[in-house]
Amino acid sequence: MQTQEAATLRAPANLVSPRAVTLWTVEALVPVTGLLVAQVIWWFVDDDPARGAHWLVGALWLALSTAYVLVMPRWRRRVHRWEATGRAIYTQTGWVRQERRIAPMSRVQTVDLERGPIAQLLGLASVTVTTASAAGPLRIHALDLPVATELVETLSAAAVLEKGDAT
């Protein structure tokens, strides 16, 4: 908890788990592999003996996919942050397009803990805080499971104690 309780838009203090890099790398491999399969199918379906376009697209795929799989997860971990105080929850997300959000406890409606299969294998969880806001819920991805569980309990207790009606 922070000593000054003013809810101001600022960089949150806590990083996500270091294992987030592994999670996001595995998740990045899914679309990259899909594009590779599409290119292999194109190679066998195309009856044109000239393979220049295939080699060009393949080289672009290799360069962009390698950069995406190696850079994005590390960059994203440096950006993703969160913090909960007695009065508000702060998040910072994104990697290309970054967003900072703050939600006062009086606006919190629900707090959810989510774990996909890969996150479960890595001992990670995500927390979704639904608020009375048109901007949508705040999401904190790739937290260590004990940290996520404690955060859900803390936010749920704080939301119940808040005198506002979350509307």
Side-chain angles (χ1 to χ4, degrees):
M1 293 282 186
Q2 177 184 339
T3 56
Q4 181 185 2
E5 290 292 323
T8 57
L9 190 60
R10 59 179 172 71
N14 305 312
L15 287 170
V16 298
S17 173
R19 290 189 308 276
V21 173
T22 303
L23 175 69
W24 292 328
T25 299
V26 171
E27 288 176 348
L29 288 171
V30 172
V32 164
T33 302
L35 290 172
L36 175 62
V37 167
Q39 179 154 352
V40 168
I41 291 170
W42 178 41
W43 178 277
F44 287 110
V45 170
D46 187 9
D47 58 358
D48 186 0
R51 296 289 185 190
H54 291 279
W55 290 110
L56 177 63
V57 170
L60 282 171
W61 170 87
L62 182 62
L64 294 174
S65 295
T66 301
Y68 178 66
V69 168
L70 294 179
V71 173
M72 179 275 295
R74 288 155 185 81
W75 185 348
R76 200 171 161 187
R77 180 165 187 274
R78 288 187 181 131
V79 172
H80 279 234
R81 295 175 181 274
W82 67 277
E83 183 177 353
T85 69
R87 304 236 359 234
I89 179 89
Y90 298 79
T91 62
Q92 179 175 293
T93 59
W95 64 284
V96 173
R97 182 174 178 251
Q98 298 175 9
E99 176 183 71
R100 276 189 193 163
R101 292 188 51 202
I102 180 173
M105 285 299 169
S106 63
R107 306 290 284 172
V108 172
Q109 293 179 327
T110 63
V111 182
D112 302 305
L113 186 133
E114 303 154 16
R115 299 181 71 208
I118 300 167
Q120 289 180 44
L121 287 172
L122 295 170
L124 299 173
S126 295
V127 174
T128 301
V129 180
T130 305
T131 64
S133 167
L138 283 82
R139 291 188 175 89
I140 306 167
H141 296 283
L143 296 177
D144 291 318
L145 182 57
V147 172
T149 302
E150 182 181 340
L151 179 61
V152 167
E153 290 171 4
T154 302
L155 292 176
S156 297
V160 167
L161 293 175
E162 188 63 41
K163 296 201 186 305
D165 64 356
T167 59

